[in-house]
Amino acid sequence: MAPKKAGMRLLFFPSKAEIVPEPYGLVLIMTSWNFPLGLALEPLIGAIAAGNVIVIKPSELAPATSSFLANTIPQYLDNTAIKVIEGGPEASHRLLQQKWDKIFYTGSPRVGRIVMTEAAKHLTPVTLELGGKCPLIFDYSSISSNLKVAVRRLTSAKWGSCSGQACIAIDYVLMEEKFALSLIDMLKRIITRLYGENIGTLVNITRIVNKNHFDRICSYLKDPVVAASIVHGGSYDEEKLLIEPTILLNPPLDSAVMNEEIFGPILPIVTLKNIQESIELINSRPKPLALYAFTHDDAFKNRIVSETSSGSVLFNDVLIHYLCDELPFGGIGQSGMGRYHGKYSFEAFSHEKPVLYRGYYPDLAARYPPWNAFKMEFCRLGYNVDYLNLALHLLGLRRYPKKDD
Amino acid sequence: MAFSIQTLHNFSASATISVMEEDKRETSFDADQAGILVKELKSQFDSGKTKTYEWRLAQLESLSRMMDEKEKDITEALYKDLSKPEFEAFIAEISMIKSSCKLAVKELKQWMMPEKVKTPLTTYPSSAEIVSEPLGIVLVISTWNYPFSAGNAVVLKPSEIAPATSSLLAKLLEEYVDNTSIKVIEGAVDETSALLEQKWDKIFYTGSGRVGRIVMAAAAKHLTPVVLELGGKCPVVVDSDVNLQVAARRIIAGKWGCNNGQTCTAVDYSELNESFGKNPMESKDMSRIVNLYHVTRLMKLLEEDGVSDKIVLGGEIDEMKLKIAPTIVLDAPEDSALMTEEIFGPLLPIVTVEKIEESFEVIKSKPKPLAAYLFTNNEQLKNAFVKNISAGGMLVNDTILHLTVSTLPFGGVGESGMGYYHGKFSFEAFSHKKAVMYRSFDGDSSIRYPPYTPKKLKLLKSLMSGNFFQLILTLVGWSKD
C-alpha cells in the first residue's frame, strides 16, 4: 500500500513524485465452478488488500460451494462491504448491467466476451482469466533418464486436476511418432496404478461437473474417426457422471476434440516427425494460458520461450507455477487479459495514481507565453537534460538561434 | 519577439497544396482491405523480425532522427491544423516525443531483459523469471506512440480532424521507419470502423469517452486488451493562502498555453489572470479551435441560460478564424452543460466555495478526471486531497507537468480511461509479461500423487505452512496434527 517514490530529474527541482495505489472502488468478482473456493478467494484477497468494496458472484454450477460462500463469508468478513450474490445466468446478467469500477472474471472465452462487452458500456476495466488448449511438448529422447517421473507428473497433472477440468490442465501432448507407443504403454500402467483399472473401479478422480459438460465431452468420442483413435479408456458412466482417463492417438487436427478446449479426462497425443515442429503447430493455434515442455535441451527451451506466446511457460513440470506467488498468473489473446497472484492481485484491483508535488520557487518565466526564441532554446535544452548549457543559457552566456523578424 | 507571419504563410500555403493532392487520391479503405492489411502484418510479425533488439532500436532511432530533421514540417502542419504556436508545438509534442525516443533507446536493452523472481519452498527446486514479449499486431488510434519499442507490428490511425498532421505523419513514417511492419492508415469513421472489425492483439485509443466505449466493445469481440486514454473535467482547487501570481500563471499555462484548452489534462474549471496581451484574439501565441463543429459546440456552452450572464472575462468568438478568446465564467449553474461536459476549449469556469474542503465534494460528485490539480501550502489539505480524490494523476502546485515525467505512469481511471503509458510504462503497455518457470525432475515427492493418504495430507499442510520446523516434525512423524 505504500506509495512508490518515482525518480525526478533535477530539471524539475524542487519537486517530489510518487505513485500512490488507490482502490478502484466497487468490484465484481465472477468465479468459475472447477475450483470454486480457490478461484473465488484468491481474487477476493487481492481486492480486499487493495481496499475495495466487493461483490462475489460464485458459479451456480458448484451450488454447494456457492452456498458455503454465501453463508460463511458474512461470518468472517465485513458484510456491509463484501457481499456474496448467488444465482444463475440471470443474476450474472443483472449484475453486469450495473456500473462497476472493476470486473474480475474467471471462466470461458465465450462468456469473457460478454463480460467485456457489458463492461465497455461503462468503461469498466476487466481482468479475464480464461482458458485454452494448453499443450505439453514431450521431448522423449531428451528426458530418457527421467521418464518415470515425467510420465507420473503428466498423469497426475492431467487427471488429478479436477479430471482435466482446469484452465491450466494439459489439453494435448506433442511428441515424436517413434516414441508414442512407449509413452502410451507407460501411461496405461501409471493410470491404472493411480486411478484404477477401469470405469467400474475408478478412484482418486473427480467426476464431470454436470450433464451438460458430460454430454459435451462424450460427444467428442462419438465422432467415428476420433473413436477409432482411442488407445486407452473411452468408457463412461452416465449415472455417476464419470468418464475414465482416455488417451487418443492422432485424432484429426480439424476434429472438435482438437479445436475446442477439452476440459475433461481425454488426452490426445499428436505425433510429429521431429519435436522441433511442435513450435509451428502451437503457433498455428490460439495462445494458451500455459505451455508445458518436458525437455533437457537448452537450445530448444530458448526457442520455445522466444518463439511461442502463452500466458506462461513451465519446463519439466505441470501446474506447479500456479503456486509461485512471485510470478504473474494470467493469459494472453484468447486465454485472457490481466494477471494476478501475490502482489499482482493487489495491483489488479488498484489504480496506480501518480502524484507530483511542486514548489513555487523557482518559477521559470520560460514556461509562459508570450513565447520567444530565448524561451524556446531554454525548453530545448531542458528536454535534452543539458544542465551545463541550460545554466549558461540562463546566465546569458550562450548563443542560440534567433528567429528572423 | 515573434517570428514572421509572412514566412508562416508561405509554409502553410505549401502545406495546403500537399493536402489537396492527398485528397485527390482514392481512399476506399474498407473491411476487406483492413483484413488484407492485418494478414500482411501478421506474416511480418511471424517472421520474427520485429522482436529483435536491432529492429526496435533502428525504428526508434529513425523516429528520433525524423523529429529532428522534420521539425519544421511538423510545426507547419500543426499550425495549419490548429494555428498552434511554434513554441507550444515544440513543448507539447515535438520535445516530448524526442525525449521519449531517447529514453526508449537508452533503456530498451534493460526493458527487454527477463526479470528473475524468487521461487517458494513449495516449488523447490526451481527457478523462475518474467519474460517480456510483444503482443503482436497493435492498432493505435489518434495519437503519437511507439508500441514498436515493445517489438510489435503497428497500424497508426491518426485523427482525421487534424488532416495536415495526419498526412504528414503518413508521409514521414513511410520515409523513416520500416513500413512493412509499421503502417499509417488515414481516414475517418469508415476507415476506423473497418479497422476495428479486425482482430488485433492490442488497441490503444486516445480520445473521447463516447468513442472509447465503441472501441472497447469492438475489442471485446476478439478479447483484445485495450488502453484508453480519455479525458474528463480536470479540476484545479486553489486554496486562499497561496502565491496567487505563480499559481495563476501556472493555471494559465496549463489551460490556455496548451492547445487553447484542447488538451486532455487541461485545467477545466478553476481561477486566475492574463498572458496573451491586450487582444488575445490577435495573439500569435494562442492556438485556434480545431474546427467549426467544436467552435459551435463551445459557443452553445456559453450561450446557455444562466451561463451567458456569468462571463467575467473574454467571450469573444471569431467563427471565420475559428478563434475563441480566453474566457472566464464565474459560478455557472452546477447543472449547466458547461459544468457537466468536458469543455476541451478555452473556457474556464470558476466555482467559489465557502470552505476549501467543499471543493472535494464538488469533484467527487463528477466522474473521475484524468488529472486533478491543487494549489496550496497546507500539508493537511495536500494529504486529504491525495487520499480522498481519485483521478488518473495528480499534481500539487502546478499543472500538466506530470505528463513530462517519464517515471510516472500516465493514464486515467473510471471515465477518464484505463491503462497507462509514458516511459517504461509504454513498453509494458505493449508487452506481455510471460511467466517462465524451470523445474527439474529430481526430488520428485510422492506426496503429489494418489493414493492421497492422511500422512501425505499432513506433510503437504506443513510444507504449505512454510514452517520449516513443522515440516521436519511431520517428516519424522512427531506432528500433533
Side-chain angles (χ1 to χ4, degrees):
Chain A
M1 279 177 66
K4 282 183 282 213
K5 293 251 174 291
M8 287 294 299
R9 293 231 184 102
L10 190 58
L11 187 63
F12 293 100
F13 183 84
S15 57
K16 179 180 90 154
E18 53 187 22
I19 302 171
V20 178
E22 58 176 33
Y24 274 117
L26 192 54
V27 158
L28 173 63
I29 298 175
M30 299 175 68
T31 80
S32 170
W33 47 261
N34 53 348
F35 296 91
L37 192 71
L39 294 179
L41 298 183
E42 185 71 46
L44 179 64
I45 292 167
I48 291 173
N52 295 281
V53 165
I54 305 152
V55 168
I56 307 170
K57 160 66 188 73
S59 170
E60 71 281 11
L61 299 186
T65 312
S66 177
S67 311
F68 170 80
L69 287 169
N71 293 328
T72 320
I73 295 234
Q75 288 173 36
Y76 284 83
L77 300 176
D78 174 2
N79 69 347
T80 57
I82 301 170
K83 299 210 183 270
V84 180
I85 307 288
E86 293 193 86
E90 250 309 299
S92 297
H93 177 73
R94 270 191 246 118
L95 282 169
L96 285 172
Q97 301 305 303
Q98 302 304 313
K99 176 171 160 49
W100 302 91
D101 297 306
K102 172 90 190 202
I103 298 176
F104 187 104
Y105 169 75
T106 305
S108 71
R110 186 188 67 85
V111 179
R113 284 179 174 81
I114 297 171
V115 170
M116 190 172 169
T117 306
E118 294 300 323
K121 295 183 182 141
H122 299 288
L123 291 172
T124 299
V126 299
T127 293
L128 305 175
E129 295 280 333
L130 310 175
K133 292 179 80 61
C134 302
L136 188 147
I137 302 173
F138 200 99
D139 189 2
Y140 195 99
S141 53
S142 153
I143 55 167
S144 49
S145 52
N146 300 113
L147 276 175
K148 238 173 121 193
V149 176
V151 179
R152 243 194 333 194
R153 286 183 178 177
L154 196 173
T155 310
S156 73
K158 173 72 181 184
W159 292 285
S161 60
C162 209
S163 194
Q165 299 168 101
C167 51
I168 45 173
I170 307 167
D171 191 280
Y172 63 104
V173 168
L174 292 162
M175 66 184 305
E176 284 176 359
E177 54 189 359
K178 52 189 186 240
F179 304 116
L181 293 179
S182 304
L183 179 62
I184 291 169
D185 205 46
M186 291 182 74
L187 281 170
K188 284 184 184 190
R189 275 186 274 128
I190 295 189
I191 288 171
T192 308
R193 189 157 55 88
L194 299 183
Y195 303 110
E197 185 124 359
N198 55 42
I199 189 78
T201 56
L202 215 53
V203 282
N204 297 324
I205 197 167
T206 64
R207 63 170 169 78
I208 306 306
V209 67
N210 62 16
K211 186 88 176 41
N212 228 2
H213 281 280
F214 180 85
D215 288 341
R216 176 185 62 82
I217 300 167
C218 288
S219 73
Y220 295 141
L221 302 176
K222 295 201 168 107
D223 177 343
V225 192
V226 174
S229 70
I230 299 177
V231 292
H232 178 85
S235 314
Y236 44 82
D237 182 332
E238 205 164 330
E239 213 190 287
K240 295 191 184 143
L241 293 180
L242 283 173
I243 302 176
E244 66 169 326
T246 300
I247 305 174
L248 308 174
L249 181 58
N250 285 323
L253 287 179
D254 59 358
S255 55
V257 76
M258 282 309 296
N259 285 286
E260 294 168 18
E261 189 177 357
I262 296 171
F263 228 68
I266 302 176
L267 182 71
I269 296 180
V270 175
T271 61
L272 310 155
K273 286 250 153 18
N274 185 313
I275 196 66
Q276 304 281 331
E277 291 164 32
S278 52
I279 291 182
E280 209 183 302
L281 195 145
I282 289 169
N283 284 341
S284 69
R285 288 154 169 269
K287 299 176 187 183
L289 188 52
L291 193 159
Y292 302 107
F294 284 6
T295 181
H296 286 312
D297 180 343
D298 281 336
F300 190 37
K301 283 185 196 175
N302 289 337
R303 267 199 79 203
I304 291 168
V305 173
S306 59
E307 293 179 34
T308 64
S309 183
S310 57
S312 48
V313 182
L314 178 47
F315 289 105
N316 298 331
D317 211 331
V318 192
L319 303 181
I320 207 165
H321 62 303
Y322 193 85
L323 296 178
C324 181
D325 270 343
E326 298 280 327
L327 286 174
F329 183 81
I332 179 176
Q334 298 294 298
S335 52
M337 58 180 78
R339 55 208 188 158
Y340 71 130
H341 282 190
K343 72 163 189 231
Y344 299 103
S345 289
F346 177 84
E347 289 173 6
F349 293 100
S350 300
H351 164 55
E352 309 251 287
K353 181 170 72 179
V355 183
L356 177 60
Y357 298 89
R358 292 266 297 155
Y360 292 103
Y361 306 104
D363 188 41
L364 300 165
R367 291 177 55 184
Y368 310 108
W371 313 125
N372 56 38
F374 177 87
K375 292 183 178 179
M376 185 78 145
E377 187 61 17
F378 171 82
C379 289
R380 202 182 287 275
L381 292 167
Y383 267 106
N384 288 338
V385 201
D386 189 344
Y387 291 121
L388 176 61
N389 279 315
L390 199 53
L392 292 174
H393 185 66
L394 284 170
L395 291 169
L397 296 173
R398 211 179 151 270
R399 288 227 187 103
Y400 56 92
K402 293 185 173 63
K403 298 290 172 196
D404 299 318
D405 208 332
Chain B
M1 290 272 293
F3 44 77
S4 160
I5 294 290
Q6 201 55 43
T7 338
L8 267 177
H9 276 160
N10 289 340
F11 288 152
S12 57
S14 56
T16 315
I17 289 168
S18 70
V19 166
M20 274 171 61
E21 276 174 4
E22 313 278 46
D23 281 346
K24 284 201 192 119
R25 243 185 24 228
E26 280 268 323
T27 45
S28 55
F29 185 83
D30 59 7
D32 282 335
Q33 292 206 289
I36 295 170
L37 171 70
V38 170
K39 235 185 174 155
E40 199 188 307
L41 285 172
K42 185 149 196 331
S43 70
Q44 286 294 322
F45 182 76
D46 287 343
S47 74
K49 102 182 137 164
T50 64
K51 287 189 188 179
T52 64
Y53 172 72
E54 290 71 25
W55 182 87
R56 303 184 204 193
L57 192 67
Q59 304 317 302
L60 289 167
E61 285 177 338
S62 284
L63 241 199
S64 197
R65 215 169 19 99
M66 178 182 98
M67 298 306 293
D68 277 331
E69 292 172 7
K70 302 287 174 175
E71 191 178 317
K72 245 206 187 118
D73 290 348
I74 294 167
T75 315
E76 278 164 39
L78 288 170
Y79 186 79
K80 186 168 187 339
D81 283 335
L82 291 152
S83 295
K84 194 178 284 211
E86 185 186 345
F87 192 82
E88 260 197 60
F90 181 78
I91 297 284
E93 300 205 50
I94 298 170
S95 297
M96 271 198 70
I97 302 287
K98 276 208 261 200
S99 74
S100 300
C101 272
K102 268 211 179 93
L103 181 73
V105 163
K106 183 163 156 254
E107 307 277 309
L108 186 64
K109 234 193 189 131
Q110 232 217 354
W111 289 352
M112 282 175 69
M113 268 175 31
E115 185 194 326
K116 292 245 175 290
V117 296
K118 287 198 303 240
T119 53
L121 187 60
T122 40
T123 62
Y124 182 83
S126 60
S127 71
E129 57 187 10
I130 302 170
V131 174
S132 296
E133 59 177 32
L135 293 163
I137 309 175
V138 161
L139 173 64
V140 177
I141 304 178
S142 288
T143 182
W144 291 63
N145 233 270
Y146 22 93
F148 38 83
S149 72
N152 297 283
V154 182
V155 170
L156 283 161
K157 212 303 284 163
S159 172
E160 67 279 13
I161 54 178
T165 317
S166 172
S167 10
L168 182 67
L169 192 58
K171 197 175 75 127
L172 290 181
L173 285 181
E174 202 174 306
E175 218 181 292
Y176 280 83
V177 298
D178 173 2
N179 63 351
T180 57
S181 307
I182 301 168
K183 298 213 188 267
V184 179
I185 303 291
E186 294 191 80
V189 177
D190 290 338
E191 285 77 6
T192 309
S193 307
L195 287 168
L196 283 174
E197 276 175 41
Q198 301 305 312
K199 173 169 161 41
W200 304 92
D201 295 305
K202 182 105 187 195
I203 299 178
F204 187 107
Y205 169 74
T206 303
S208 70
R210 187 185 67 85
V211 179
R213 281 169 169 80
I214 296 171
V215 171
M216 189 172 168
K221 298 198 178 103
H222 299 288
L223 289 171
T224 298
V226 300
V227 172
L228 304 176
E229 295 279 333
L230 311 174
K233 290 184 79 59
C234 301
V236 175
V237 176
V238 184
D239 200 5
S240 321
D241 72 333
V242 296
N243 182 334
L244 268 182
Q245 253 226 345
V246 176
R249 274 206 297 191
R250 290 179 178 180
I251 294 173
I252 295 168
K255 173 76 175 182
W256 292 292
C258 246
N259 237 356
N260 211 2
Q262 299 168 103
T263 300
C264 48
T265 48
V267 167
D268 194 278
Y269 54 104
S270 156
E271 134 180 329
L272 78 6
N273 213 325
E274 26 96 334
S275 327
F276 291 95
K278 291 231 163 54
N279 194 351
M281 295 291 273
E282 297 300 316
S283 169
K284 291 168 234 46
D285 291 333
M286 197 178 82
S287 306
R288 63 167 170 81
I289 305 306
V290 69
N291 61 25
L292 189 58
Y293 167 80
H294 283 283
V295 170
T296 315
R297 180 183 62 83
L298 290 163
M299 242 167 64
K300 283 216 180 76
L301 292 179
L302 286 178
E303 285 166 0
E304 194 179 336
D305 274 339
V307 174
S308 47
D309 54 340
K310 300 268 182 8
I311 299 176
V312 295
L313 180 77
E316 298 94 347
I317 299 178
D318 185 336
E319 276 177 74
M320 282 291 289
K321 293 193 185 148
L322 297 178
K323 283 203 168 189
I324 298 181
T327 303
I328 301 174
V329 179
L330 185 59
D331 283 328
E334 267 289 306
D335 57 356
S336 59
L338 185 71
M339 289 306 298
T340 50
E341 293 169 16
E342 185 178 0
I343 296 170
F344 226 68
L347 319 175
L348 183 66
I350 296 179
V351 178
T352 57
V353 293
E354 282 278 323
K355 287 178 68 186
I356 200 70
E357 286 79 6
E358 287 169 40
S359 60
F360 289 15
E361 291 310 312
V362 175
I363 298 172
K364 279 158 91 165
S365 70
K366 297 180 188 295
K368 298 179 187 181
L370 187 54
Y373 307 101
L374 170 67
F375 284 86
T376 186
N377 289 321
N378 182 336
E379 285 302 316
Q380 272 183 324
L381 192 65
K382 282 184 200 174
N383 291 336
F385 187 68
V386 173
K387 203 161 148 229
N388 295 314
I389 306 283
S390 180
M394 294 189 140
L395 191 32
V396 176
N397 293 331
D398 214 327
T399 56
I400 304 217
L401 262 196
H402 62 304
L403 266 167
T404 59
V405 180
S406 63
T407 49
L408 288 177
F410 179 75
V413 66
E415 282 295 309
S416 51
M418 55 182 79
Y420 314 98
Y421 73 127
H422 282 188
K424 179 165 193 207
F425 303 100
S426 289
F427 178 85
E428 293 181 355
F430 293 101
S431 298
H432 167 54
K433 297 274 178 174
K434 182 164 73 178
V436 181
M437 187 182 233
Y438 299 87
R439 288 266 295 161
S440 80
F441 290 111
D442 307 324
D444 192 45
S445 173
S446 69
I447 66 172
R448 291 173 59 167
Y449 308 105
Y452 302 122
T453 62
K455 175 150 193 241
K456 282 187 186 176
L457 192 56
K458 249 194 259 187
L459 206 54
L460 191 61
K461 279 188 182 171
S462 18
L463 188 67
M464 297 294 291
S465 74
N467 186 337
F468 208 58
F469 190 60
Q470 174 74 10
L471 183 59
I472 304 288
L473 285 179
T474 311
L475 282 167
V476 173
W478 284 0
S479 170
K480 64 170 163 58
D481 208 340

